[in-house]
């Protein structure tokens, strides 16, 4: 089988989608059974466990408060916003992680 195998898929080929929010607990996403929005602590745990398993890339999907949303997406440029903070947290503890936004 190894001789004729065309594709090899390993954990390193995957990008882990992380749904994050500002709350201090995880919240299930009703429209996506089995998926949750992660708090900072849970996000960091997921990243650590995933790296141990060989998944090295993560994409962040933030839940931005409606009051912070504007037509120009100003919150996306806020250095203290959820995405920027999360990237800093991940890269400080796991510099080898690839973070996609």
């Amino acid at each position: 089988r190894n001789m004729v195998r065309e594709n090899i898929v390993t954990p390193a080929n995957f990008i882990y989608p992380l749904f994050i929010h500002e709350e201090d607990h995880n919240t299930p996403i009703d429209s996506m059974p089995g998926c949750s929005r992660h708090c900072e602590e849970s996000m960091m745990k997921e990243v650590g466990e995933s790296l141990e398993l060989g998944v090295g890339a993560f994409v962040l999907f933030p839940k931005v408060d409606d009051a912070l949303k504007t037509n120009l997406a100003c919150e996306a440029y806020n250095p203290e916003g959820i995405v920027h903070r999360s990237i800093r947290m991940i890269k400080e503890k796991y510099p080898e992680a690839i973070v996609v936004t």
Side-chain angles (χ1 to χ4, degrees):
R1 289 187 167 210
N2 286 339
M3 186 174 83
V4 295
R5 180 173 35 198
E6 293 181 24
N7 298 311
I8 299 172
V9 179
T10 68
N13 299 112
F14 294 105
I15 300 175
Y16 187 161
L18 285 170
F19 300 92
I20 56 176
H21 65 163
E22 300 275 2
E23 305 293 326
D24 60 356
H25 58 279
N26 291 355
T27 304
I29 301 173
D30 294 334
S31 61
M32 298 172 61
C35 293
S36 295
R37 286 190 184 91
H38 293 276
C39 62
E40 290 178 350
E41 181 182 337
S42 176
M43 174 192 71
M44 294 302 290
K45 181 180 175 194
E46 290 290 316
V47 170
E49 290 176 358
S50 298
L51 286 168
E52 288 176 7
L53 295 172
V55 177
F58 306 87
V59 60
L60 302 179
F61 293 101
K63 169 74 170 98
V64 177
D65 189 295
D66 288 342
L68 298 174
K69 293 180 182 179
T70 64
N71 289 339
L72 299 176
C74 293
E75 185 62 15
Y77 302 101
N78 178 0
E80 296 307 316
I82 185 172
V83 173
H84 291 87
R85 265 194 348 267
S86 297
I87 293 170
R88 281 194 303 270
M89 288 174 64
I90 292 169
K91 295 303 278 184
E92 283 174 8
K93 188 165 183 180
Y94 306 106
E96 72 278 19
I98 297 167
V99 182
V100 181
T101 58

